[in-house]
Amino acid sequence: MKLTKTWAAPLFASVLAATAAQAETELTVYTAIEAEDLARYAETFNAHHPDIKVNWVRDSTGVVTAKLLAERDNPQADVVWGLAATSLLLLKSEGMLEPYAPAGVEMLDPKFVDAGDTPTWVGMDAWVASVCYNTIEAEKAGLTPPTSWKDLTNEMYKGHVIMPNPNSSGTGFLDVSSWLQMFGEEGGWEYMDALHENIARYTHSGSKPCKLAAAGEIPIGVSFAFRGAKSKADGAPLEIIVPSEGVGWDMEATAIVAGTDDLEAAQKLVDFTVTKEAMEMYNSGYAVVAMPGVAKPVKFFPEGLLDAMIANDFEFAANNRASILEEWQKRYDGKSEPKG
Amino acid sequence: MTETTANGQPYLRIEGLWKAFGDFLALKDISLDIHDGEFVCFLGPSGCGKTTLLRAIAGLDLQTKGQVTQAKKDISDLPPSARDFGIVFQSYALFPNLTIKKNIAFGLENTGRSKPEVEARVTELLDLVGLPDQGAKYPAQLSGGQQQRIALARAIATNPGLLLLDEPLSALDAKVRVHLRHEIKELQRKLGVTTVMVTHDQEEALSMADRIVVMNHGVIEQVGSPTDVYREPATLFVADFIGEMNQIPATAGASGRVTVGTSEMICKPHDFGNNAPVIAAIRPEDVIPHGDGARSPGGEDVIATPENAFEVTVDEMEFLGSFWRCRLASERFGEEELIADFSINAVRRLELATNKTMIIELPEDRLMVFAPEDAR
Amino acid sequence: MTDATALPDGPVIKGRLSRDDVIMRLGMVVIAIYLVATMVLPLWAMLSKSFSTFKFDLSGYEIQVSDEAGSFEGTILTPAELNAELGVLELGDLDAGSDSRMGLTQFFPDFSFRSPVMYRVRNTTDAGRFLVGSELKTGTEWIELDSNTFRRVQMRPVKSTGLGNFVSYFSTPALFNSIKNSLMIAVISTVITVTLAFWFAYALNRSCMRFKGAFRLVAMAPILVPSLLPGIALVYLFGNQGMIKELLFGASIYGPIGIVIGSVFFTFPHAFIIISTALAISDARLYEAAVSLRSTPWRTFWTVTIPGARYGLISAAFVVFNLVITDFGLPKVIGGQFNVLAVDIYKQVIGQQNFEMGAVVSVVLVVPAILAFAIDRLVQSKQVALLSARSVPYQPTTNRKADNIFLGYCVLVAVFIVGMLAVCQFAALIKFWPYDLSFSLKNYEFDRMDGGGWGSYFNSIKLALLTAVIGTCVIFFGAYLVEKSNGFKTGRAIFQMFAMLPMAIPGMVLGLAYIFFFNNPANPLNFIYGTMAILVICTVTHFYTVSHLTAVTALKQMDREFESVSASLKQPTMKLFSRVTVPVCMPAILDISIYLFVNAMTTVSAVVFLYSPKTTLASIAVLNMDDAGDIAPAAAMGMMIFYTNAAARIIHLILSKGVLTRTQAWRTR
């Protein structure tokens, strides 16, 4: 015993000293932000708070939401930074989020802040549905560009459209929920019935349809504007189409997970996420950010996108999510691949 | 059965031993004393329980019931490692990846011996088993007989009080086997170690053992010296299992009388009642041939017991090297034939040949009577 | 001499245990507890989860309604009473998922959100839950709401137990259709793989063609890659921009065709090994007899060759069937809209947070897997009997024409296998298929993609090494204990059963079971959740059976009496174990470790539910990058796994040779 103490004590002290010198706190941050942006976001944040290390857990919206819900009795995350507001509403309804009004929250557009007395989440930017259209492949297939959602049900596009599965993809869900809101419950399902006839397949993630369109695997991918702009910047022969009826959108938002080990650090992180600098950071990919007056036009972003954004009812989306997904699965999942 | 030797106390005492495998009883109430320095063979056909008994003594497979006492100590429930014995298996069980030296030294390590002591002991043992130059080789590089000797050396390395040999020679070919028999016996005599050997080979048992324990169906049929069990078998099983034996269905008369076929003969005393069905038995070499020239020149051909002499016809003759084996037919036996071994001299002098008739005699002190096997 | 025939009464002798016996039994108990904690209990947790359902409890809420002036007269209503009166809902409508919610206004036919009527709502028990908008309300306090807000009240379901999940599974065609799909895919893939592998093995064992060694090597290559990789190769070959998509004549690779081709690729080596072994042991004397009876080659083939290899063929068929039906990676990548059971589990759990339904699909998937496994075991036990026959190995004779045909066939198969891998490597190096075909290493910048970047790759290597080292120790020691300890028969039989179980449990099922078991805060082992430890444990358990059987086979070849000799020499069993058993079994031990290493590198199914941000894995990265549409980087990472495994194999070979010359010197006379 004595021996153990004699060597253990200095060792313990030196470990303490080492941690004190770096004074490093680690936060586990769940996110659905595009993988290529993660490092940039963390770097910008660390410029202000070098003492807080961000450990990203990145997956598609559905997966991150599932993970959080699965861990509801034993949360692993400290902060959620960059997840669909619909999902955060779901978490809120499980009592999983810690209400917190970050410093400077009053600078944000109230639409982008949770409506509680103390908000449980704050928005970052809006993420907007769009259609990625590969001009080269479309021409090969003899297609003309669609201009509206309804156009996509045209027989011409049979087998040429890919969209994300709303069960796993946030983008997929915002498409479905926007159609239900725009066309009404009945009209929405009718529309999807018709669209389903043209869909080649449903993908797991929301960015994949656009990446597949960019790679020419499919002429038309229902995805979101940000992804389209990125692929276009990479040199893909893409056109980003904003359907004329309007487009669904969701917010990327931030929240603290109730029961975090380090509330103080989590609050520092959330404070940062609503600063002007953070907003400018989001703006490099997203044309709409939560703080009015910050956004500058984004390269390759389609025109008229902002005007096309529908008035989204997040509560409708969150509270009907389960039943919508169930209905969707019943109708479209598991059918054998449409012949095309 | 409990004999005592000079020092009065058996070295190993087995009392009321039972072993059950489920419903099957492999050993039934075995009791046996083995004396210090004795060489005992367990002999019997496969499945008779001899190996089970050996493994119970070693503690490798515990008996279900009964007591084993070794050197006055009750070892009935001790694990093998707490008992005092060395063992050699049919497979030798030499460690294939260790050299001969390391195999022998295996049991000497961790026993308080210094390295040079271990080394010296290993050299001594290699000399003892006559393989002084093989220490650096691996077991697979030795012949079967050599491997057996190494296994023996390993087993006696720590000077155990008891040496157990489980069919140690049966994996070897006949010549080596005969040679090793003598070596093992020699070694045992030299070391004076109490030894128990299991074998199914009667020749092995007869030539090596001080005492033989004949077993069958989980019971001891007879315990005795090799000559005892050969000359005076206690049961028909022993008589049949060891050596050759003519067996003729017969009817018992008064003690010392037995009726074979139509005629009554004089035999060894017995206590079967009149008219009890029995088996009359005689070894082929005990049959005495009579006739001109049956005795060496000058000797007189005398029939000692006329009741036991009768005429037979030689039905078949088979030359087996040192003697002739003859099948003899007689009216008395009906269909049964009698087998008799005659010396080469006797055959020549009597000018025996197939289909010849002759007189034979079954000596009364060699004609035995047993209960039929299935009556037991 | 007593002629006793019955055991006397009295106590049976109970042997005292030696220190070695105690150590061995303790060791066995420890490993048995390990298997219980890492397999039996998680599976139990999963099974109970499949029976855990959710229901709306209409009697769990109380409501008061005011008059137009807003004053309450005190009548308390429950939705249950209201429903009994109005008949709005039937019993089945009350079944729910964990995430379901249901409004209250349906029980008030004359409800209007503009009305000045006020409402009060509360839970009747502390366990009750409802939402106002997104606000969770628990407790039994009355909450007063105006009409417009009352509209936003949503009941939440409560937990209950029953067969509800199974009922809803079998009444949802989207779900139970997968059973048919899975079976179909498995059967077709099995027939094709076994046929192809049979002729390949036949050519290698029964002809005199050249390059046999090279073909053998190529045939084993698919084992070194995750099952997702052929899917990626197929996208590049037959996708809409595929290099040779014309060969499909317009059919789509995304679906059953893709799954079958990919399955044939990744199950080929497994079938090949088994059938090749079966053909190698066939008895030449039977062929000599056939020749002397002037049987035609065709007749000989059907009367001698096929019956001789039949156990191998059956065994191979069931192994392939099991691999295909439980595989998740391939249908995930190339399956398109064609749903199969393994992917359903993933979709239910990862996509829809419906853990209960995931558990139900798992239970459904376990049934064919266990059946296939059981039949395979049965057949294999017969094969052993065949092996022990004293036979003369068959020596093929040269037949130029046949040899050339076989060579041609083997070349085709080899081109198929090598081609798939080459396509992946090629795609990984292309800048932007199909529009920019210049070479670039851009796709190796994993840190810019999903899946955890290069960190995943190094995590995978760490996992593979840990699995190989820890797994080999645990499994070999466990096999030793069960094979060589004395007595304790029941204990050993139970242990043996536990050791066989993992093979019958699909990886997806094991992974899901681990979530249920280890992610429960009440579980004292909860702390390993999200660590490398749980990945190692899961992988060791997942691949326990084959390793255990390898160890047992090697141990069975050891003389049974070594332990007896050692005990008689009063040496500790552990000395025997380290000095003799381990060195003699070293070839088997090395085989186990390379098996575990390779599988830890390629496994996806079990760990996909268990990785955490710090423990992302290369194989999962392939999956995630493909999911995100980054197919070329996925191919690049897949090939990294291939090269790593190939390197590990080579190191294993060198190591085995070195170790063999050192520890197995005794083998050479």
Side-chain angles (χ1 to χ4, degrees), chain A residues 133-143 160 212-220 237, chain C residues 240-241 245 434-435:
Chain A
Y133 184 79
N134 186 316
T135 49
I136 294 179
E137 298 307 319
E139 203 182 323
K140 273 192 215 160
L143 306 179
H160 293 309
L212 289 177
E217 261 308 288
I218 198 86
I220 303 171
Chain C
N240 295 344
Q241 295 297 330
K245 69 167 176 175
Y435 301 113

PDB file of all heavy atoms in Angstrom, chain A residues 133-143 160 212-220 237, chain C residues 240-241 245 434-435:
ATOM      1  N   TYR A 133     -30.620  19.199 -60.678  1.00  0.00           N
ATOM      2  CA  TYR A 133     -30.960  18.759 -62.025  1.00  0.00           C
ATOM      3  C   TYR A 133     -29.687  18.669 -62.845  1.00  0.00           C
ATOM      4  O   TYR A 133     -29.007  19.679 -63.073  1.00  0.00           O
ATOM      5  CB  TYR A 133     -31.936  19.779 -62.635  1.00  0.00           C
ATOM      6  CG  TYR A 133     -32.459  19.418 -64.011  1.00  0.00           C
ATOM      7  CD1 TYR A 133     -33.485  18.488 -64.153  1.00  0.00           C
ATOM      8  CD2 TYR A 133     -31.959  20.047 -65.148  1.00  0.00           C
ATOM      9  CE1 TYR A 133     -33.985  18.182 -65.410  1.00  0.00           C
ATOM     10  CE2 TYR A 133     -32.458  19.743 -66.407  1.00  0.00           C
ATOM     11  CZ  TYR A 133     -33.472  18.804 -66.539  1.00  0.00           C
ATOM     12  OH  TYR A 133     -33.972  18.504 -67.773  1.00  0.00           O
ATOM     13  N   ASN A 134     -29.335  17.460 -63.248  1.00  0.00           N
ATOM     14  CA  ASN A 134     -28.112  17.256 -64.016  1.00  0.00           C
ATOM     15  C   ASN A 134     -28.416  17.483 -65.499  1.00  0.00           C
ATOM     16  O   ASN A 134     -29.087  16.677 -66.146  1.00  0.00           O
ATOM     17  CB  ASN A 134     -27.575  15.840 -63.785  1.00  0.00           C
ATOM     18  CG  ASN A 134     -26.229  15.618 -64.452  1.00  0.00           C
ATOM     19  OD1 ASN A 134     -26.028  16.009 -65.603  1.00  0.00           O
ATOM     20  ND2 ASN A 134     -25.314  14.988 -63.730  1.00  0.00           N
ATOM     21  N   THR A 135     -27.900  18.584 -66.013  1.00  0.00           N
ATOM     22  CA  THR A 135     -28.268  18.982 -67.378  1.00  0.00           C
ATOM     23  C   THR A 135     -27.768  17.989 -68.419  1.00  0.00           C
ATOM     24  O   THR A 135     -28.470  17.671 -69.378  1.00  0.00           O
ATOM     25  CB  THR A 135     -27.707  20.380 -67.689  1.00  0.00           C
ATOM     26  OG1 THR A 135     -26.328  20.393 -67.326  1.00  0.00           O
ATOM     27  CG2 THR A 135     -28.453  21.443 -66.909  1.00  0.00           C
ATOM     28  N   ILE A 136     -26.559  17.461 -68.206  1.00  0.00           N
ATOM     29  CA  ILE A 136     -25.990  16.549 -69.203  1.00  0.00           C
ATOM     30  C   ILE A 136     -26.811  15.259 -69.296  1.00  0.00           C
ATOM     31  O   ILE A 136     -27.232  14.834 -70.369  1.00  0.00           O
ATOM     32  CB  ILE A 136     -24.526  16.211 -68.857  1.00  0.00           C
ATOM     33  CG1 ILE A 136     -23.673  17.479 -68.989  1.00  0.00           C
ATOM     34  CG2 ILE A 136     -24.012  15.108 -69.773  1.00  0.00           C
ATOM     35  CD1 ILE A 136     -22.222  17.271 -68.658  1.00  0.00           C
ATOM     36  N   GLU A 137     -27.050  14.663 -68.104  1.00  0.00           N
ATOM     37  CA  GLU A 137     -27.786  13.393 -68.100  1.00  0.00           C
ATOM     38  C   GLU A 137     -29.234  13.590 -68.553  1.00  0.00           C
ATOM     39  O   GLU A 137     -29.825  12.731 -69.201  1.00  0.00           O
ATOM     40  CB  GLU A 137     -27.759  12.765 -66.703  1.00  0.00           C
ATOM     41  CG  GLU A 137     -26.370  12.420 -66.212  1.00  0.00           C
ATOM     42  CD  GLU A 137     -25.580  11.563 -67.205  1.00  0.00           C
ATOM     43  OE1 GLU A 137     -26.167  10.647 -67.791  1.00  0.00           O
ATOM     44  OE2 GLU A 137     -24.385  11.857 -67.394  1.00  0.00           O
ATOM     45  N   ALA A 138     -29.814  14.742 -68.173  1.00  0.00           N
ATOM     46  CA  ALA A 138     -31.193  15.014 -68.561  1.00  0.00           C
ATOM     47  C   ALA A 138     -31.300  15.104 -70.078  1.00  0.00           C
ATOM     48  O   ALA A 138     -32.223  14.563 -70.688  1.00  0.00           O
ATOM     49  CB  ALA A 138     -31.673  16.304 -67.914  1.00  0.00           C
ATOM     50  N   GLU A 139     -30.330  15.760 -70.662  1.00  0.00           N
ATOM     51  CA  GLU A 139     -30.360  15.906 -72.111  1.00  0.00           C
ATOM     52  C   GLU A 139     -30.241  14.533 -72.785  1.00  0.00           C
ATOM     53  O   GLU A 139     -30.972  14.229 -73.721  1.00  0.00           O
ATOM     54  CB  GLU A 139     -29.214  16.820 -72.550  1.00  0.00           C
ATOM     55  CG  GLU A 139     -29.480  17.467 -73.894  1.00  0.00           C
ATOM     56  CD  GLU A 139     -28.299  18.336 -74.310  1.00  0.00           C
ATOM     57  OE1 GLU A 139     -27.709  18.976 -73.423  1.00  0.00           O
ATOM     58  OE2 GLU A 139     -27.975  18.333 -75.499  1.00  0.00           O
ATOM     59  N   LYS A 140     -29.325  13.719 -72.230  1.00  0.00           N
ATOM     60  CA  LYS A 140     -29.164  12.369 -72.772  1.00  0.00           C
ATOM     61  C   LYS A 140     -30.492  11.615 -72.733  1.00  0.00           C
ATOM     62  O   LYS A 140     -30.810  10.836 -73.619  1.00  0.00           O
ATOM     63  CB  LYS A 140     -28.141  11.587 -71.946  1.00  0.00           C
ATOM     64  CG  LYS A 140     -26.714  11.779 -72.402  1.00  0.00           C
ATOM     65  CD  LYS A 140     -25.830  10.731 -71.715  1.00  0.00           C
ATOM     66  CE  LYS A 140     -24.457  11.284 -71.396  1.00  0.00           C
ATOM     67  NZ  LYS A 140     -23.777  10.507 -70.354  1.00  0.00           N
ATOM     68  N   ALA A 141     -31.245  11.832 -71.627  1.00  0.00           N
ATOM     69  CA  ALA A 141     -32.502  11.101 -71.468  1.00  0.00           C
ATOM     70  C   ALA A 141     -33.648  11.829 -72.153  1.00  0.00           C
ATOM     71  O   ALA A 141     -34.795  11.386 -72.099  1.00  0.00           O
ATOM     72  CB  ALA A 141     -32.808  10.917 -69.981  1.00  0.00           C
ATOM     73  N   GLY A 142     -33.349  12.955 -72.757  1.00  0.00           N
ATOM     74  CA  GLY A 142     -34.381  13.703 -73.472  1.00  0.00           C
ATOM     75  C   GLY A 142     -35.376  14.377 -72.551  1.00  0.00           C
ATOM     76  O   GLY A 142     -36.574  14.443 -72.854  1.00  0.00           O
ATOM     77  N   LEU A 143     -34.920  14.857 -71.410  1.00  0.00           N
ATOM     78  CA  LEU A 143     -35.826  15.504 -70.464  1.00  0.00           C
ATOM     79  C   LEU A 143     -35.767  17.018 -70.617  1.00  0.00           C
ATOM     80  O   LEU A 143     -34.750  17.577 -70.999  1.00  0.00           O
ATOM     81  CB  LEU A 143     -35.442  15.145 -69.031  1.00  0.00           C
ATOM     82  CG  LEU A 143     -35.327  13.651 -68.683  1.00  0.00           C
ATOM     83  CD1 LEU A 143     -34.924  13.501 -67.229  1.00  0.00           C
ATOM     84  CD2 LEU A 143     -36.629  12.934 -68.967  1.00  0.00           C
ATOM     85  N   HIS A 160     -36.522   8.691 -63.181  1.00  0.00           N
ATOM     86  CA  HIS A 160     -35.404   9.635 -63.251  1.00  0.00           C
ATOM     87  C   HIS A 160     -35.291  10.512 -62.018  1.00  0.00           C
ATOM     88  O   HIS A 160     -34.541  11.472 -62.007  1.00  0.00           O
ATOM     89  CB  HIS A 160     -35.545  10.521 -64.492  1.00  0.00           C
ATOM     90  CG  HIS A 160     -35.379   9.773 -65.779  1.00  0.00           C
ATOM     91  ND1 HIS A 160     -34.306   8.942 -66.023  1.00  0.00           N
ATOM     92  CD2 HIS A 160     -36.153   9.706 -66.899  1.00  0.00           C
ATOM     93  CE1 HIS A 160     -34.427   8.405 -67.224  1.00  0.00           C
ATOM     94  NE2 HIS A 160     -35.546   8.840 -67.778  1.00  0.00           N
ATOM     95  N   LEU A 212     -25.867  12.173 -56.070  1.00  0.00           N
ATOM     96  CA  LEU A 212     -26.090  11.213 -57.148  1.00  0.00           C
ATOM     97  C   LEU A 212     -26.384  11.946 -58.451  1.00  0.00           C
ATOM     98  O   LEU A 212     -25.918  11.541 -59.519  1.00  0.00           O
ATOM     99  CB  LEU A 212     -27.236  10.264 -56.791  1.00  0.00           C
ATOM    100  CG  LEU A 212     -26.946   9.251 -55.687  1.00  0.00           C
ATOM    101  CD1 LEU A 212     -28.189   8.423 -55.384  1.00  0.00           C
ATOM    102  CD2 LEU A 212     -25.790   8.328 -56.071  1.00  0.00           C
ATOM    103  N   ALA A 213     -27.151  13.019 -58.347  1.00  0.00           N
ATOM    104  CA  ALA A 213     -27.421  13.811 -59.551  1.00  0.00           C
ATOM    105  C   ALA A 213     -26.125  14.416 -60.069  1.00  0.00           C
ATOM    106  O   ALA A 213     -25.859  14.431 -61.269  1.00  0.00           O
ATOM    107  CB  ALA A 213     -28.446  14.897 -59.249  1.00  0.00           C
ATOM    108  N   ALA A 214     -25.301  14.900 -59.154  1.00  0.00           N
ATOM    109  CA  ALA A 214     -24.030  15.496 -59.552  1.00  0.00           C
ATOM    110  C   ALA A 214     -23.157  14.462 -60.254  1.00  0.00           C
ATOM    111  O   ALA A 214     -22.446  14.772 -61.201  1.00  0.00           O
ATOM    112  CB  ALA A 214     -23.309  16.046 -58.320  1.00  0.00           C
ATOM    113  N   ALA A 215     -23.211  13.210 -59.795  1.00  0.00           N
ATOM    114  CA  ALA A 215     -22.385  12.163 -60.387  1.00  0.00           C
ATOM    115  C   ALA A 215     -23.037  11.544 -61.613  1.00  0.00           C
ATOM    116  O   ALA A 215     -22.510  10.609 -62.193  1.00  0.00           O
ATOM    117  CB  ALA A 215     -22.115  11.074 -59.344  1.00  0.00           C
ATOM    118  N   GLY A 216     -24.232  12.029 -61.963  1.00  0.00           N
ATOM    119  CA  GLY A 216     -24.882  11.533 -63.151  1.00  0.00           C
ATOM    120  C   GLY A 216     -25.572  10.203 -62.966  1.00  0.00           C
ATOM    121  O   GLY A 216     -26.043   9.591 -63.906  1.00  0.00           O
ATOM    122  N   GLU A 217     -25.636   9.711 -61.704  1.00  0.00           N
ATOM    123  CA  GLU A 217     -26.333   8.460 -61.460  1.00  0.00           C
ATOM    124  C   GLU A 217     -27.813   8.608 -61.765  1.00  0.00           C
ATOM    125  O   GLU A 217     -28.505   7.648 -62.073  1.00  0.00           O
ATOM    126  CB  GLU A 217     -26.166   8.040 -59.999  1.00  0.00           C
ATOM    127  CG  GLU A 217     -25.099   7.010 -59.714  1.00  0.00           C
ATOM    128  CD  GLU A 217     -25.168   5.765 -60.562  1.00  0.00           C
ATOM    129  OE1 GLU A 217     -26.080   4.941 -60.374  1.00  0.00           O
ATOM    130  OE2 GLU A 217     -24.308   5.625 -61.431  1.00  0.00           O
ATOM    131  N   ILE A 218     -28.313   9.836 -61.621  1.00  0.00           N
ATOM    132  CA  ILE A 218     -29.734  10.087 -61.840  1.00  0.00           C
ATOM    133  C   ILE A 218     -29.840  11.535 -62.329  1.00  0.00           C
ATOM    134  O   ILE A 218     -29.040  12.370 -61.937  1.00  0.00           O
ATOM    135  CB  ILE A 218     -30.506   9.886 -60.502  1.00  0.00           C
ATOM    136  CG1 ILE A 218     -31.991   9.695 -60.723  1.00  0.00           C
ATOM    137  CG2 ILE A 218     -30.249  11.037 -59.536  1.00  0.00           C
ATOM    138  CD1 ILE A 218     -32.361   8.260 -61.008  1.00  0.00           C
ATOM    139  N   PRO A 219     -30.784  11.840 -63.208  1.00  0.00           N
ATOM    140  CA  PRO A 219     -30.859  13.237 -63.672  1.00  0.00           C
ATOM    141  C   PRO A 219     -31.401  14.190 -62.610  1.00  0.00           C
ATOM    142  O   PRO A 219     -30.966  15.336 -62.532  1.00  0.00           O
ATOM    143  CB  PRO A 219     -31.817  13.164 -64.869  1.00  0.00           C
ATOM    144  CG  PRO A 219     -31.927  11.726 -65.215  1.00  0.00           C
ATOM    145  CD  PRO A 219     -31.668  10.951 -63.974  1.00  0.00           C
ATOM    146  N   ILE A 220     -32.373  13.718 -61.791  1.00  0.00           N
ATOM    147  CA  ILE A 220     -33.040  14.635 -60.880  1.00  0.00           C
ATOM    148  C   ILE A 220     -32.960  14.120 -59.451  1.00  0.00           C
ATOM    149  O   ILE A 220     -33.358  12.983 -59.160  1.00  0.00           O
ATOM    150  CB  ILE A 220     -34.527  14.800 -61.262  1.00  0.00           C
ATOM    151  CG1 ILE A 220     -34.631  15.295 -62.709  1.00  0.00           C
ATOM    152  CG2 ILE A 220     -35.241  15.745 -60.303  1.00  0.00           C
ATOM    153  CD1 ILE A 220     -36.039  15.287 -63.239  1.00  0.00           C
ATOM    154  N   PRO A 237     -22.292  19.292 -63.426  1.00  0.00           N
ATOM    155  CA  PRO A 237     -23.178  19.980 -64.384  1.00  0.00           C
ATOM    156  C   PRO A 237     -24.600  20.070 -63.836  1.00  0.00           C
ATOM    157  O   PRO A 237     -25.509  19.435 -64.344  1.00  0.00           O
ATOM    158  CB  PRO A 237     -23.101  19.075 -65.610  1.00  0.00           C
ATOM    159  CG  PRO A 237     -22.817  17.709 -65.069  1.00  0.00           C
ATOM    160  CD  PRO A 237     -22.002  17.907 -63.834  1.00  0.00           C
TER     161      PRO A 237
ATOM    162  N   ASN C 240     -26.196   3.795 -63.329  1.00  0.00           N
ATOM    163  CA  ASN C 240     -26.630   4.551 -64.500  1.00  0.00           C
ATOM    164  C   ASN C 240     -25.451   5.128 -65.284  1.00  0.00           C
ATOM    165  O   ASN C 240     -25.546   5.383 -66.460  1.00  0.00           O
ATOM    166  CB  ASN C 240     -27.595   5.658 -64.091  1.00  0.00           C
ATOM    167  CG  ASN C 240     -28.874   5.065 -63.527  1.00  0.00           C
ATOM    168  OD1 ASN C 240     -29.138   3.878 -63.722  1.00  0.00           O
ATOM    169  ND2 ASN C 240     -29.651   5.874 -62.836  1.00  0.00           N
ATOM    170  N   GLN C 241     -24.341   5.348 -64.594  1.00  0.00           N
ATOM    171  CA  GLN C 241     -23.127   5.796 -65.285  1.00  0.00           C
ATOM    172  C   GLN C 241     -22.128   4.655 -65.362  1.00  0.00           C
ATOM    173  O   GLN C 241     -20.928   4.866 -65.490  1.00  0.00           O
ATOM    174  CB  GLN C 241     -22.504   6.978 -64.530  1.00  0.00           C
ATOM    175  CG  GLN C 241     -23.367   8.224 -64.517  1.00  0.00           C
ATOM    176  CD  GLN C 241     -23.580   8.767 -65.911  1.00  0.00           C
ATOM    177  OE1 GLN C 241     -22.721   8.616 -66.780  1.00  0.00           O
ATOM    178  NE2 GLN C 241     -24.726   9.393 -66.139  1.00  0.00           N
ATOM    179  N   LYS C 245     -22.802  -1.027 -68.108  1.00  0.00           N
ATOM    180  CA  LYS C 245     -24.200  -1.191 -67.708  1.00  0.00           C
ATOM    181  C   LYS C 245     -25.037  -1.803 -68.827  1.00  0.00           C
ATOM    182  O   LYS C 245     -26.108  -2.355 -68.568  1.00  0.00           O
ATOM    183  CB  LYS C 245     -24.796   0.150 -67.284  1.00  0.00           C
ATOM    184  CG  LYS C 245     -24.980   1.142 -68.421  1.00  0.00           C
ATOM    185  CD  LYS C 245     -25.844   2.291 -67.976  1.00  0.00           C
ATOM    186  CE  LYS C 245     -25.927   3.325 -69.085  1.00  0.00           C
ATOM    187  NZ  LYS C 245     -26.842   4.406 -68.776  1.00  0.00           N
ATOM    188  N   PRO C 434     -18.556  10.654 -63.605  1.00  0.00           N
ATOM    189  CA  PRO C 434     -17.883  10.325 -64.869  1.00  0.00           C
ATOM    190  C   PRO C 434     -17.413  11.568 -65.616  1.00  0.00           C
ATOM    191  O   PRO C 434     -17.059  11.473 -66.767  1.00  0.00           O
ATOM    192  CB  PRO C 434     -19.020   9.646 -65.633  1.00  0.00           C
ATOM    193  CG  PRO C 434     -20.261  10.388 -65.180  1.00  0.00           C
ATOM    194  CD  PRO C 434     -19.988  10.885 -63.799  1.00  0.00           C
ATOM    195  N   TYR C 435     -17.436  12.730 -64.947  1.00  0.00           N
ATOM    196  CA  TYR C 435     -17.211  13.966 -65.705  1.00  0.00           C
ATOM    197  C   TYR C 435     -15.760  14.401 -65.752  1.00  0.00           C
ATOM    198  O   TYR C 435     -15.347  15.147 -66.617  1.00  0.00           O
ATOM    199  CB  TYR C 435     -18.075  15.089 -65.129  1.00  0.00           C
ATOM    200  CG  TYR C 435     -19.546  14.740 -65.182  1.00  0.00           C
ATOM    201  CD1 TYR C 435     -20.277  14.522 -64.031  1.00  0.00           C
ATOM    202  CD2 TYR C 435     -20.175  14.587 -66.413  1.00  0.00           C
ATOM    203  CE1 TYR C 435     -21.605  14.174 -64.083  1.00  0.00           C
ATOM    204  CE2 TYR C 435     -21.506  14.240 -66.486  1.00  0.00           C
ATOM    205  CZ  TYR C 435     -22.228  14.030 -65.321  1.00  0.00           C
ATOM    206  OH  TYR C 435     -23.535  13.670 -65.396  1.00  0.00           O
TER     207      TYR C 435
END
